[in-house]
């Protein structure tokens, strides 16, 4: 399952949900104003992989390791359509990443 961070639009769930059932957004889980660490701990406890443009999660991934897994959308101030296209173009990479227990972070740029 994928959990989108607050810095990503909720509308990205539309592109993810058909391929990744259970995809959600921090606002939909009641974590809209939560700290990165609270989001990290929630994702770990529920089994989500975090998707974010925030490099702070990268630091948490290095500090604590998985779980949760972290997908870093390293694309700066990209439009929603660019984010949709990048996610859709990387579905197979994301699926492979989620299934590989030896991996903790995936960079999509």
């Amino acid at each position: 399952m994928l959990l989108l961070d607050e810095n990503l639009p909720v509308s990205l769930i539309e592109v993810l949900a058909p391929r990744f059932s259970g995809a959600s957004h921090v606002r939909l889980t009641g974590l809209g104003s939560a700290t990165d660490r609270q989001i990290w701990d929630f994702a770990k406890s529920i089994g989500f992989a975090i998707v974010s443009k925030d490099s702070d999660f990268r630091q948490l991934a290095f500090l604590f390791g998985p779980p949760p897994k972290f997908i870093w959308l390293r694309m700066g101030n990209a439009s929603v359509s660019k984010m949709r296209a990048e996610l859709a173009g990387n579905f197979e990479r994301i699926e492979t990443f989620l299934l590989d227990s030896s991996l903790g972070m995936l960079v999509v740029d």
Side-chain angles (χ1 to χ4, degrees), residues 43-79:
K44 181 177 182 175
S45 71
I46 301 296
F48 278 112
I50 299 169
V51 181
S52 181
K53 290 172 43 175
D54 186 349
S55 64
D56 290 346
F57 284 108
R58 184 180 132 252
Q59 299 300 337
L60 290 172
F62 286 131
L63 183 62
F64 299 114
K69 289 179 172 258
F70 171 54
I71 300 170
W72 185 21
L73 299 182
R74 193 174 61 180
M75 56 185 67
N77 292 326
S79 67

